[in-house]
Amino acid sequence: MSAAYAAFGLAPAMRAGEVLADGGYQVHRDFVDFLVDGRPLLFQLADLDAVSPLASDVPPAIFTAQVRSLLLETDPPLEGGRHIIYGCPECADLACGAVTAVIERDGTDYIWRDFAWQTDEHPDLERNGYHGIGPFRFAGTEYRTALDALIDGTEPPAATRRVLLIGARVAVLNKLAAALRAIGIGAEITGDATHVPADELRGYGAVAFGRAVTQEQRDAVRAAFDRAGVDVACVDGLAPIVPLLVAQIEHALDRRPLEQHRLTRLVAADGEAGIEVTSPCRVRVTAYRLDRLYRSHTQDVFDGVLEPGRHRIALDAKAVKGESFVVARTTGSVLVEPMAR
């Protein structure tokens, strides 16, 4: 095998959860992505809603078995020495489709080759092969060290998927908490976090404030987290619109460095959305607004694959009338901005 060496690494990643327009939910999934030469391998797949087998919510024994499989310490799960690299984020069923590849040893090196989209036991490499991806040759020591760290406790800690909700509108908070729990994010409601034990505060990745919470109250909550030694993300709720608040919280929980995002910029002004992406990907843009009677309205304004670079997307004037907000999302990133006037 003559493939040139590529650097192998691992990094936290997520599949962003969402409250859908029809009332359904898209589940939030945290997982470990594969880095090839410092860049997520998933970014080479333009429009794929998928997660690696190294998901944070699988039982520890299954997680360890997945790592051992990638190390070739157990038999491959599919025929022909093939392994699932990315699968369905909802059910992990091969029938939904998965990106698979042959993983093999060459001396001390590990090689990933013959990437394909697979929906049954026998992939059609000619029709469904990813001919522009791989083969990748990884140095054995680097490869094993990265994967062994996932099961010996030396890898970076996983993101905390719990949110503390603070606000005056109990009905909105209850709906928001239910929506967050439905997509896999823990949520609790309190009126005063200053007396919550430090150990409990350390379990939160974000705290979200309703618009009626005073600055004094916000400062007191932040001080409580500071005393507990927690670098918590603070979310100032833009409006009592549950899908919008969910998007804000998803963005706040995403603490990855910018270079590990596909969607890196959103500007909403003058009837346009300015968007920047780093690799080809599907981007969906949704506008939310409150009318004069404080009723919420939602409109999907764009859904398509964008090439790397900056893009300007015209927004329907009615969709961003009055107090309005814009959400842009890929499968792994969410950005939220109020519409500037």
Side-chain angles (χ1 to χ4, degrees):
M1 178 68 64
S2 60
Y5 279 100
F8 180 84
L10 301 168
M14 77 175 203
R15 187 262 197 150
E18 180 183 6
V19 178
L20 303 176
D22 62 4
Y25 298 94
Q26 178 174 284
V27 176
H28 176 108
R29 299 291 303 280
D30 289 308
F31 63 99
V32 177
D33 200 4
F34 308 107
L35 301 182
V36 178
D37 289 332
R39 187 163 177 79
L41 179 58
L42 188 59
F43 286 14
Q44 296 194 36
L45 306 167
D47 183 21
L48 185 65
D49 183 12
V51 300
S52 82
L54 306 176
S56 65
D57 55 350
V58 300
I62 295 178
F63 186 93
T64 298
Q66 297 286 2
V67 174
R68 297 299 183 201
S69 177
L70 293 171
L71 289 167
L72 303 184
E73 295 177 358
T74 59
D75 292 335
L78 303 174
E79 292 184 8
R82 303 192 72 82
H83 296 251
I84 293 176
I85 307 301
Y86 297 108
C88 174
E90 299 288 346
C91 67
D93 193 330
L94 184 61
C96 292
V99 176
T100 68
V102 174
I103 300 179
E104 60 188 10
R105 292 281 297 271
D106 183 20
T108 60
D109 296 341
Y110 290 79
I111 294 172
W112 290 18
R113 63 173 175 85
D114 296 340
F115 286 81
W117 178 253
Q118 188 169 345
T119 56
D120 55 36
E121 294 299 322
H122 305 287
D124 185 337
L125 294 181
E126 185 64 30
R127 170 181 284 185
N128 297 319
Y130 288 100
H131 303 293
I133 300 179
F136 301 118
R137 176 185 288 269
F138 303 118
T141 300
E142 179 182 61
Y143 184 89
R144 293 192 63 90
T145 298
L147 287 169
D148 282 340
L150 293 175
I151 51 179
D152 67 12
T154 60
E155 82 287 356
T160 302
R161 290 191 303 164
R162 289 179 63 208
V163 182
L164 187 63
L165 307 178
I166 301 175
R169 302 185 64 176
V170 176
V172 173
L173 293 178
N174 284 332
K175 290 179 181 178
L176 176 58
L180 290 169
R181 292 166 188 155
I183 67 174
I185 296 175
E188 286 80 38
I189 301 170
T190 186
D192 180 8
T194 58
H195 301 296
V196 178
D199 287 344
E200 180 70 15
L201 292 178
R202 294 187 187 106
Y204 293 103
V207 54
F209 301 107
R211 297 204 292 189
V213 178
T214 67
Q215 188 60 51
E216 182 180 4
Q217 291 172 311
R218 295 166 196 252
D219 291 342
V221 171
R222 291 187 175 99
F225 276 98
D226 287 342
R227 290 193 297 272
V230 182
D231 179 23
V232 70
C234 294
V235 179
D236 293 321
L238 289 172
I241 303 173
V242 169
L244 176 67
L245 295 171
V246 168
Q248 281 192 265
I249 290 169
E250 281 282 12
H251 173 65
L253 289 173
D254 189 354
R255 310 297 286 271
R256 294 173 295 164
L258 191 62
E259 60 268 20
Q260 292 177 19
H261 290 75
R262 277 177 160 166
L263 178 62
T264 57
R265 180 174 179 267
L266 170 65
V267 177
D270 301 323
E272 291 183 337
I275 293 172
E276 184 171 6
V277 297
T278 60
S279 63
C281 59
R282 180 188 176 193
V283 176
R284 291 181 293 121
V285 180
T286 306
Y288 299 91
R289 71 180 181 91
L290 292 172
D291 64 20
R292 290 180 299 175
L293 298 179
Y294 224 54
R295 297 171 300 192
S296 64
H297 302 266
T298 304
Q299 183 173 330
D300 294 325
V301 294
F302 178 81
D303 187 345
V305 175
L306 297 179
E307 294 299 315
R310 294 188 175 186
H311 304 267
R312 297 170 64 180
I313 297 172
L315 304 175
D316 183 355
K318 185 177 180 180
V320 293
K321 182 180 179 181
E323 186 179 10
S324 56
F325 314 89
V326 177
V327 174
R329 65 170 63 239
T330 64
T331 56
S333 299
V334 181
L335 294 179
V336 183
E337 287 291 331
M339 192 70 194
R341 296 296 171 187

